[in-house]
Amino acid sequence: MRLTTKGRYAVTAMLDLAFHSERTPVTLMDIATRQTISLSYLEQLFSRLRRAEMVVVVRGPGGGYQLSRPVAEINISDIIKAVDEQIDSTQCGGETNCQNQKACLTHDLWMGLSNQIHHYLASISLADLLERKPIQEVASRQEQDVEHLIELRREVIVRL
Amino acid sequence: MRLTTKGRYAVTAMLDLAFHSERTPVTLMDIATRQTISLSYLEQLFSRLRRAEMVVVVRGPGGGYQLSRPVAEINISDIIKAVDEQIDSTQCGGETNCQNQKACLTHDLWMGLSNQIHHYLASISLADLLERKPIQEVASRQEQDVEHLIELRREVIVRL
DNA sequence: ATATAGTTGACTGATTTACTGGGTTAAGGA
DNA sequence: TCCTTAACCCAGTAAATCAGTCAACTATAT
């Protein structure tokens, strides 16, 4: 279980989905605009999220992504694991042969530690995050800030 | 608070120190041999650990490193923060201006999350880890496995 | 048909990781 | 005083990862 900015991007994007995809799918372009993440980077992340069956896809016009299950059933740990390529942190993948064919100190230590963190993050769902006041406020502001940009983009595209 | 292999190396090395430096200082060479970490990499890590006042140094023959305080007063979070240069995970360093001079979704979310992880790791001390059975067993085995190597190294050096 | 939107892969620059090798400095012992 | 020990420090580097770009592709709704 690693904790890097990559995982944070994924959690942010999933939270954005949770806010906006209840009725209609959300395009990566919309998420990119609201969360200021590059579209192509989002594509990479969602490719993994899709393979991990965290999101479902609707292709074609009006399409986009939606969460594959209710927000209460998606936890932070799963999101991070989906994008963070699990090059397991002990170099032996639970094989317990990190050091001269035997377990290293780190093995038991870090396994235990990262298990605990994993369980902790697994206990937090998207639903939990959605309930938080400050997050709701930020999300509303983001919608207003960026709504006109998204509209503008659509109009401009239509005119061309 | 990031969670990478670098932090794991630091925690492993500190745990090794906790096991072996109670009476006499421990050289980085010994740790390098026991934990199979490169000596120069250890030097880098301990340079930071020393600046963070996690360890004290004794120079010259018979010297090495010792913990700066009792094992119960050194927690995992401090160790990781000492070596992981805190390029804060939100790009705004608590300034709350990550996105167009305002808070991003990530800000509150990730701040909260990483705070919780920080507190969790802060609640685990080296003393806690030392008490764990599997860790004790691995440490004993490592001593036996490597003791002769360390002895050998000293003899060889003496002969040269 | 055409525009929308996801899918895939190759490729890039920047940064971090983990390590090598060189020399310098402090301290202890013969 | 000289030698050894061991920390200190610096410059460099191969590999991996991060974050992102670009281009060609497929599926689908209108």
Side-chain angles (χ1 to χ4, degrees), chain B residues 56-90:
Chain B
V56 288
V57 67
V58 180
R59 297 182 71 151
Y65 286 95
Q66 282 181 305
L67 299 177
S68 63
R69 19 181 221 278
V71 284
E73 293 171 27
I74 297 179
N75 66 58
I76 309 304
S77 166
D78 287 342
I79 298 174
I80 294 177
K81 276 194 292 182
V83 297
D84 253 18
E85 63 233 81
Q86 202 75 346
I87 295 182
D88 91 289
S89 64
T90 45

Coordinates of all heavy atoms in Angstrom, one line a residue, chain B residues 56-90:
Chain B
V56 N 21.8 9.8 17.7 CA 23.0 10.5 18.0 C 24.2 9.8 17.5 O 24.1 8.6 17.3 CB 23.1 10.7 19.5 CG1 22.1 11.7 20.1 CG2 23.0 9.4 20.2
V57 N 25.3 10.5 17.2 CA 26.4 9.9 16.5 C 27.6 9.9 17.4 O 27.8 10.8 18.2 CB 26.7 10.6 15.2 CG1 27.2 12.0 15.5 CG2 27.7 9.9 14.4
V58 N 28.4 8.8 17.3 CA 29.7 8.7 18.0 C 30.7 8.5 16.9 O 30.6 7.5 16.2 CB 29.7 7.6 19.0 CG1 31.1 7.5 19.7 CG2 28.6 7.7 20.0
R59 N 31.6 9.4 16.7 CA 32.6 9.3 15.6 C 33.8 8.5 16.1 O 34.0 8.3 17.3 CB 32.9 10.6 15.1 CG 31.7 11.3 14.4 CD 32.1 12.7 13.9 NE 32.9 12.5 12.6 CZ 32.9 13.4 11.6 NH1 32.2 14.4 11.7 NH2 33.7 13.1 10.6
G60 N 34.6 8.1 15.1 CA 35.8 7.4 15.4 C 35.6 6.0 15.7 O 34.5 5.5 15.7
P61 N 36.7 5.3 16.0 CA 36.7 3.8 16.3 C 35.8 3.5 17.4 O 35.7 4.2 18.4 CB 38.2 3.5 16.7 CG 39.0 4.7 16.1 CD 38.1 5.8 16.1
G62 N 35.0 2.4 17.2 CA 34.1 2.0 18.2 C 32.8 2.9 18.2 O 31.9 2.7 19.0
G63 N 32.8 3.8 17.2 CA 31.6 4.7 17.1 C 30.5 4.1 16.3 O 30.4 2.9 16.0
G64 N 29.6 5.0 15.9 CA 28.4 4.5 15.2 C 27.2 5.4 15.6 O 27.4 6.5 16.1
Y65 N 26.0 4.8 15.5 CA 24.8 5.5 15.8 C 24.1 4.9 17.0 O 24.2 3.6 17.2 CB 23.9 5.6 14.6 CG 24.3 6.5 13.5 CD1 25.0 6.1 12.4 CD2 24.0 7.9 13.6 CE1 25.4 7.0 11.4 CE2 24.3 8.8 12.6 CZ 25.0 8.3 11.5 OH 25.4 9.2 10.6
Q66 N 23.4 5.7 17.7 CA 22.5 5.2 18.8 C 21.2 6.0 18.7 O 21.2 7.1 18.2 CB 23.1 5.4 20.2 CG 24.2 4.3 20.5 CD 24.8 4.5 21.8 OE1 25.3 5.5 22.2 NE2 24.7 3.4 22.7
L67 N 20.1 5.5 19.2 CA 18.9 6.2 19.3 C 19.1 7.4 20.2 O 19.7 7.3 21.2 CB 17.7 5.3 19.7 CG 17.5 4.1 18.8 CD1 16.4 3.2 19.4 CD2 17.1 4.6 17.4
S68 N 18.4 8.5 19.9 CA 18.6 9.7 20.7 C 17.7 9.7 21.9 O 17.9 10.4 22.9 CB 18.2 10.9 19.9 OG 16.9 10.9 19.5
R69 N 16.6 8.8 21.9 CA 15.8 8.7 23.1 C 15.2 7.3 23.2 O 15.4 6.5 22.3 CB 14.6 9.7 23.0 CG 14.3 10.3 21.6 CD 13.2 11.3 21.7 NE 12.2 11.1 20.6 CZ 12.4 11.7 19.4 NH1 13.5 12.4 19.2 NH2 11.6 11.5 18.5
P70 N 14.6 7.0 24.3 CA 14.0 5.7 24.5 C 13.1 5.2 23.4 O 12.4 6.0 22.8 CB 13.2 5.8 25.8 CG 13.8 7.0 26.5 CD 14.3 7.9 25.5
V71 N 13.1 3.9 23.1 CA 12.3 3.4 22.0 C 10.9 3.7 22.1 O 10.2 3.8 21.1 CB 12.5 1.8 21.9 CG1 13.8 1.4 21.3 CG2 12.3 1.2 23.3
A72 N 10.4 3.9 23.3 CA 8.9 4.2 23.5 C 8.6 5.6 23.0 O 7.5 6.0 22.7 CB 8.5 4.0 25.0
E73 N 9.7 6.4 22.9 CA 9.4 7.8 22.5 C 9.8 8.1 21.0 O 9.8 9.3 20.6 CB 10.3 8.8 23.4 CG 9.8 8.7 24.9 CD 10.8 9.5 25.8 OE1 11.5 10.4 25.3 OE2 10.8 9.1 27.0
I74 N 10.0 7.1 20.3 CA 10.3 7.3 18.8 C 9.1 6.6 18.1 O 9.0 5.4 18.2 CB 11.6 6.7 18.4 CG1 12.7 7.4 19.2 CG2 11.8 6.7 16.9 CD1 14.1 6.8 18.9
N75 N 8.4 7.3 17.3 CA 7.3 6.7 16.6 C 7.6 6.7 15.1 O 8.4 7.4 14.6 CB 6.0 7.4 16.9 CG 5.9 8.8 16.4 OD1 6.1 9.1 15.2 ND2 5.7 9.8 17.3
I76 N 6.8 5.8 14.4 CA 7.0 5.5 13.0 C 6.8 6.8 12.2 O 7.6 7.0 11.2 CB 6.0 4.4 12.5 CG1 6.1 3.2 13.5 CG2 6.3 4.0 11.1 CD1 7.5 2.6 13.6
S77 N 5.8 7.5 12.5 CA 5.5 8.7 11.7 C 6.7 9.7 11.7 O 7.0 10.2 10.6 CB 4.3 9.4 12.4 OG 4.2 10.7 11.9
D78 N 7.4 9.9 12.8 CA 8.5 10.8 12.9 C 9.7 10.3 12.0 O 10.3 11.0 11.3 CB 9.0 10.9 14.3 CG 8.1 11.7 15.2 OD1 7.3 12.5 14.6 OD2 8.2 11.6 16.4
I79 N 9.9 9.0 12.0 CA 10.9 8.4 11.2 C 10.7 8.6 9.7 O 11.6 9.1 9.0 CB 11.0 6.9 11.4 CG1 11.4 6.6 12.9 CG2 12.1 6.2 10.5 CD1 11.4 5.1 13.3
I80 N 9.5 8.4 9.3 CA 9.1 8.5 7.9 C 9.2 10.0 7.5 O 9.7 10.3 6.4 CB 7.7 8.0 7.6 CG1 7.7 6.4 7.8 CG2 7.3 8.3 6.2 CD1 6.4 5.8 7.6
K81 N 8.7 10.9 8.3 CA 8.8 12.3 8.0 C 10.2 12.8 7.9 O 10.5 13.7 7.1 CB 8.0 13.1 9.0 CG 6.5 13.1 8.7 CD 5.8 14.2 9.6 CE 5.8 13.8 11.0 NZ 5.1 14.8 11.9
A82 N 11.1 12.2 8.7 CA 12.5 12.6 8.7 C 13.2 12.4 7.4 O 14.0 13.2 6.9 CB 13.2 11.9 9.8
V83 N 12.8 11.3 6.7 CA 13.5 10.9 5.5 C 12.8 11.3 4.2 O 13.4 11.6 3.2 CB 13.9 9.4 5.4 CG1 14.8 9.0 6.5 CG2 12.6 8.6 5.4
D84 N 11.4 11.4 4.3 CA 10.6 11.7 3.2 C 10.4 13.2 3.1 O 9.6 13.7 3.8 CB 9.2 11.0 3.4 CG 9.0 9.9 2.5 OD1 10.0 9.4 2.0 OD2 7.8 9.5 2.3
E85 N 11.1 13.8 2.2 CA 11.0 15.2 2.2 C 9.7 15.8 1.9 O 9.4 16.2 0.7 CB 12.1 15.9 1.4 CG 12.0 15.6 -0.1 CD 13.3 15.0 -0.6 OE1 13.6 13.8 -0.4 OE2 14.0 15.8 -1.2
Q86 N 8.8 15.7 2.8 CA 7.6 16.5 3.0 C 7.2 17.5 1.8 O 6.8 18.6 2.1 CB 7.9 17.3 4.2 CG 6.6 17.8 4.9 CD 5.9 16.7 5.7 OE1 6.2 15.5 5.4 NE2 5.0 17.0 6.5
I87 N 7.4 17.1 0.5 CA 7.0 18.0 -0.5 C 5.4 17.9 -0.5 O 4.9 17.2 -1.3 CB 7.5 17.6 -1.9 CG1 9.0 17.8 -2.0 CG2 6.8 18.4 -3.0 CD1 9.6 17.5 -3.3
D88 N 4.9 18.7 0.4 CA 3.5 18.4 0.9 C 2.6 18.0 -0.2 O 2.6 18.5 -1.3 CB 2.9 19.6 1.6 CG 2.2 20.5 0.6 OD1 2.9 21.1 -0.2 OD2 1.0 20.5 0.6
S89 N 1.7 17.1 0.1 CA 1.0 16.3 -0.9 C -0.1 17.1 -1.6 O -0.8 16.6 -2.5 CB 0.4 15.0 -0.3 OG -0.6 15.4 0.7
T90 N -0.3 18.3 -1.2 CA -1.4 19.1 -1.8 C -1.0 20.2 -2.7 O -1.8 21.0 -3.2 CB -2.4 19.6 -0.7 OG1 -1.7 20.2 0.3 CG2 -3.3 18.5 -0.2

